[in-house]
């Protein structure tokens, strides 16, 4: 299911005015990637990038062609780890945060 233009514009407007919401988007994207939800993580990263730095400026910052960045984060994209981590690092720098991992016990599925 694709998102409507109005929804994307609403997300973008809120991200531009609400730093806490922006950080939450970035965190949610990275958590989705770590959970193996590549499509979800990439979609949230696209929304975050569009609402903040934009693909052109990000491409310049990470020295990757803007169209390549858009493709790698697109629905059919399969980003190389080095490129994905360069993007995540730059987005953390822009947001002024350093995300850390910590182990937590997995919840066992109930039967």
């Amino acid at each position: 299911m694709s998102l409507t233009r109005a929804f994307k514009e609403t997300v973008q407007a809120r991200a531009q005015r609400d730093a806490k919401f922006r950080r939450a988007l970035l965190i949610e994207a990275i958590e989705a990637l770590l959970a193996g939800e590549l499509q979800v993580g990439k979609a949230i990263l696209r929304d975050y990038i569009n609402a903040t730095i934009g693909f052109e400026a990000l491409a310049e910052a990470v020295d990757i062609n803007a169209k390549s960045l858009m493709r790698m984060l697109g629905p059919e994209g399969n980003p190389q780890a080095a490129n994905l981590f360069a993007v995540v690092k730059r987005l953390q720098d822009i947001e002024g945060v350093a995300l850390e991992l910590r182990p937590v016990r997995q919840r066992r599925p109930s039967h």
Side-chain angles (χ1 to χ4, degrees), residues 46-109:
R46 285 192 309 272
D47 289 342
Y48 177 88
I49 293 164
N50 283 320
T52 58
I53 187 172
F55 277 96
E56 293 293 331
L58 179 60
E60 189 175 314
V62 296
D63 197 28
I64 300 171
N65 178 284
K67 288 185 180 184
S68 294
L69 273 179
M70 286 182 235
R71 276 192 304 272
M72 82 178 212
L73 295 176
E76 302 299 317
N78 189 15
Q80 293 181 356
N83 292 338
L84 183 59
F85 287 123
V87 166
V88 168
K89 168 69 170 110
R90 184 64 186 136
L91 297 179
Q92 287 180 94
D93 291 346
I94 290 167
E95 202 54 56
V97 298
L99 303 176
E100 297 178 343
L101 295 176
R102 63 181 171 81
V104 295
R105 292 201 184 275
Q106 286 186 327
R107 295 184 182 142
R108 296 180 185 237

Side-chain angles (χ1 to χ4, degrees), residues 29 31-43:
E31 286 179 345
L33 293 171
L34 292 172
E37 296 290 336
L38 184 61
Q39 297 306 322
V40 173
K42 291 188 311 178

